[in-house]
Amino acid sequence: MEDFAKRGAFPLCPTQNGLMFVPLTPMLPLSTQLKDVDIVLHKATDEILSIEDDKITFRENIQELQGYLELHQDLCVIDPLKNIYPLLDRLKIQQILLGLEEINREGCHLIRGPISSESIILENLILRLG
C-alpha cells in the first residue's frame, strides 16, 4: 500500500467525492480499522506462504482478515479471497479468459484467452483423466 501511496495511485486523503483508501495495520484490531470501511481491497497474493493440495496458506495478517470477513459477510470485498486460487492455476486462467470471448462486441477491445498447443494437450489430458 505504501508503494501505491507514494505513486499517488490510492488517495489517502478524501477526494472530492469522498473516496479514501485506509491502509490496515497489524498493530490494531481489525474491528476498529474496518468499522467505517465500505469496501475492502486487498493484495493477498503478496501474502501467500504456501499452496498445497488446493489449499492456500496466507501470512497471519491475511488469515486474520479472512476470519474477520467470514464473520462480517455484509462487508463488500473486491475479489474475495476464495477467488485467488483459480488465478494461480494457468489452465484455470486460460479457461476464464476463453469464457470472456463470449462477451466480445464489435467496436470494443478484443478479449481472447491464450491458446497454445501445450495447454490444449494438457486440457484434453485432464478431461480424459477426470
Side-chain angles (χ1 to χ4, degrees):
M1 180 76 171
E2 292 171 10
D3 185 43
F4 287 111
K6 288 177 189 173
R7 291 186 278 150
F10 295 140
L12 298 179
C13 295
T15 61
Q16 290 178 341
N17 62 1
L19 177 67
M20 183 173 113
F21 286 83
V22 181
L24 299 177
T25 175
M27 285 114 188
L28 298 171
L30 280 177
S31 57
T32 305
Q33 298 179 74
L34 295 174
K35 69 179 180 175
D36 295 322
V37 169
D38 295 316
I39 298 173
V40 173
L41 175 66
H42 62 80
K43 192 150 186 228
T45 52
D46 286 355
E47 304 295 320
I48 294 173
L49 290 174
S50 66
I51 304 167
E52 293 179 24
D53 300 324
D54 294 346
K55 183 176 183 331
I56 300 173
T57 303
F58 294 103
R59 287 195 174 114
E60 188 177 336
N61 57 335
I62 296 295
Q63 287 181 24
E64 184 181 350
L65 177 62
Q66 194 171 24
Y68 183 89
L69 295 173
E70 287 172 6
L71 294 174
H72 299 88
Q73 295 184 4
D74 57 325
L75 190 58
C76 181
V77 181
I78 304 293
D79 202 12
L81 295 170
K82 66 180 181 185
N83 293 349
I84 290 176
Y85 188 78
L87 297 177
L88 300 174
D89 182 331
R90 290 176 187 242
L91 181 58
K92 281 271 193 215
I93 291 171
Q94 180 194 26
Q95 291 169 341
I96 291 168
L97 292 173
L98 288 172
L100 293 176
E101 288 180 1
E102 296 172 11
I103 63 172
N104 279 330
R105 284 185 262 150
E106 210 156 309
C108 296
H109 292 286
L110 178 66
I111 299 173
R112 182 183 66 78
I115 297 179
S116 72
S117 59
E118 291 174 356
S119 62
I120 292 170
I121 291 168
L122 179 61
E123 187 175 45
N124 289 335
L125 178 63
I126 290 170
L127 288 173
R128 278 188 261 138
L129 294 175

